[in-house]
Amino acid sequence: EVQLVESGGGLVQPGGSLRLSCAASGFTFSTFHMNWVRRAPGKDVEWVANIADEGGIINYADSVRGRFTISRDNAKSTLYLQMNSLKTEDTAMYYCTRSPWYKVESRGTQVTVSS
C-alpha cells in the first residue's frame, strides 16, 4: 500500500521558515519523480516544485522560486521542502505527490503564514 505522510507544517510569521517532510512507503521511492503541491482555501491544487528520481533535475513554480528548496533522501525514502521568506499567500495545505502531480494520495500538512 502506497503511503505518503507529510509533516512539518505549522503557524509562522511572514518572513519565517518551515521545513516540510514527506515519508514515503509502499513503493520504490528512488525510482519516482516527486512533487510538492498545495491547495489554498477555495482554490485549485497548485504545483509547487518537483525533483527527478535521482535528484538531478529540479523545477519550481515562479511563485516560490528563490524561496523554496526541494530535496530528497532516497536512502530514507523521504522528500523535503525547505520554505524560507514565507508570505501570507503561501498559506495552504501542502502535499507530496507522485505522478500525475495533481493526484493527491495523502492527508497533507497545513502551513499558515500570518502575523
Side-chain angles (χ1 to χ4, degrees):
E1 178 189 4
V2 171
Q3 284 200 321
L4 298 166
V5 180
E6 300 92 346
S7 62
L11 173 63
V12 63
Q13 293 186 339
S17 298
L18 285 173
R19 189 192 195 204
L20 306 185
S21 298
C22 169
S25 61
F27 65 102
T28 307
F29 179 78
S30 62
T31 65
F32 278 77
H33 291 18
M34 295 294 296
N35 304 275
W36 282 102
V37 303
R38 65 188 181 185
R39 181 187 285 129
K43 295 189 177 181
D44 292 333
V45 174
E46 175 190 14
W47 173 78
V48 173
N50 65 15
I51 184 168
D53 51 0
E54 294 294 333
I57 299 175
I58 290 173
N59 297 286
Y60 296 100
D62 289 344
S63 58
V64 308
R65 186 177 294 111
R67 301 187 298 121
F68 290 10
T69 303
I70 188 172
S71 62
R72 65 191 295 161
D73 185 337
N74 285 345
K76 296 182 178 180
S77 296
T78 302
L79 181 72
Y80 302 100
L81 186 68
Q82 177 66 44
M83 305 187 296
N84 299 329
S85 302
L86 282 162
K87 305 176 180 180
T88 55
E89 53 262 45
D90 294 319
T91 295
M93 187 73 79
Y94 284 72
Y95 305 88
C96 58
T97 66
R98 302 186 297 166
S99 178
W101 64 265
Y102 49 81
K103 182 180 179 183
V104 174
E105 304 175 274
S106 53
R107 299 183 64 178
T109 187
Q110 176 68 41
V111 172
T112 302
V113 185
S114 175
S115 56

